[in-house]
């Protein structure tokens, strides 16, 4: 799938479906928020949410006093939805409509968060492009919090194939510049009551 195909797919999803119509919807963005808070030294930490879309993580981070926030997503519609929802509190957020495989980070972040974006990159060239941005986009000593479908998770999401990982495989894929320091399984319950198996990994940039 090309970048333009990905953009078209996700724009259509967010233009045609409400929050309760997509499997990844979460009213409470856990364990993402807890894991982010476990690795930051202060509320001035620079945090980027990759594939943040209309996620409520940005709401929670703002409510917890974080101000240096960036949200990147392929879908302008998803970002618009989030911006309307958070209102004036989101004026300090950098909202970027773009593809994580071609985006050029303008700074190195303290935390790179990705809940279920990386696992859609099933082609090696796309993974390599993403990982190049990850390595440039996290400062030494910073952290990546990355969630993917676990090995017993779904093989597809939103009609697209995904790559499933366990923490060890994800760590090897990301490479030796990051050290796996924590991981945990997570059972996500969709708005319609189905259960999906995820793994969350926390990696430190060496």
């Amino acid at each position: 799938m090309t970048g333009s195909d990905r953009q078209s797919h996700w724009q259509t999803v967010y233009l045609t479906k409400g929050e309760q119509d997509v499997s990844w919807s979460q009213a409470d963005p856990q364990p993402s928020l807890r894991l982010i808070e476990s690795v930051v030294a202060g509320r001035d930490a620079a945090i980027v949410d990759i594939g943040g879309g209309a996620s409520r993580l940005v709401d929670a981070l703002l409510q917890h006093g974080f101000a240096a926030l960036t949200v990147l997503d392929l879908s302008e519609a998803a970002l618009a939805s989030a911006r309307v929802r958070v209102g004036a509190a989101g004026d300090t957020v950098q909202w970027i409509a773009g593809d994580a495989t071609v985006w050029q980070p303008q700074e190195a972040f303290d935390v790179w968060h990705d809940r279920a974006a990386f696992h859609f990159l099933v082609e090696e060239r796309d993974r390599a492009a993403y990982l190049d941005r990850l390595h440039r986009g996290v400062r030494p000593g910073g952290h990546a919090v990355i969630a993917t479908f676990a090995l017993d998770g779904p093989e597809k999401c939103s009609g697209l194939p995904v790559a499933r990982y366990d923490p060890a495989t994800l760590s090897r894929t990301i490479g030796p510049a990051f050290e796996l320091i924590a991981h945990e399984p997570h059972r996500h319950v969709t708005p319609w009551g189905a259960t999906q198996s995820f793994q969350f990994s926390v990696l430190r940039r060496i």
Side-chain angles (χ1 to χ4, degrees):
M1 177 179 281
T2 67
S4 61
D5 289 337
R6 283 195 293 269
Q7 192 276 336
S8 177
H9 174 87
W10 293 111
Q11 183 74 344
T12 299
V13 166
Y14 282 102
L15 285 172
T16 59
K17 294 186 177 183
E19 185 173 7
Q20 296 303 304
D21 299 319
V22 293
S23 65
W24 52 90
S25 177
Q26 282 183 304
D28 181 16
Q30 297 292 354
S32 295
L33 179 62
R34 173 172 52 79
L35 293 173
I36 290 171
E37 291 194 301
S38 75
V39 297
V40 295
R43 291 301 189 259
D44 60 345
I47 301 170
V48 61
D49 189 13
I50 302 296
S55 163
R56 291 180 177 265
L57 178 61
V58 66
D59 312 49
L61 289 169
L62 288 166
Q63 290 165 7
H64 282 241
F66 293 97
L69 304 178
T70 300
V71 180
L72 180 138
D73 197 86
L74 283 161
S75 170
E76 293 182 359
L79 296 175
S81 175
R83 293 186 73 165
V84 169
R85 191 181 64 237
V86 300
D91 289 349
T92 60
V93 177
Q94 292 187 71
W95 305 92
I96 302 175
D99 187 326
T101 67
V102 298
W103 170 58
Q104 300 297 326
Q106 298 303 302
E107 62 179 302
F109 296 91
D110 296 296
V111 179
W112 175 291
H113 173 266
D114 175 341
R115 175 181 174 264
F118 181 66
H119 68 197
F120 283 106
L121 303 179
V122 296
E123 297 185 15
E124 179 57 34
R125 67 176 182 274
D126 291 329
R127 284 195 295 267
Y130 176 105
L131 293 174
D132 174 68
R133 275 77 184 168
L134 171 65
H135 284 71
R136 290 191 283 122
V138 180
R139 66 167 182 80
H143 295 83
V145 178
I146 299 180
T148 69
F149 281 139
L151 297 181
D152 60 342
E155 296 181 352
K156 286 189 174 184
C157 181
S158 191
L160 300 177
V162 298
R164 298 177 295 177
Y165 296 89
D166 62 16
T169 304
L170 180 66
S171 180
R172 286 196 299 271
T173 301
I174 290 174
F178 282 82
E179 176 189 10
L180 180 66
I181 62 170
H183 58 85
E184 63 182 69
H186 177 69
R187 305 293 285 182
H188 169 64
V189 180
T190 70
W192 48 89
T195 301
Q196 298 176 332
S197 181
F198 278 79
Q199 67 82 32
F200 277 74
S201 293
V202 181
L203 305 105
R204 184 177 64 85
R205 181 73 162 92
I206 297 171

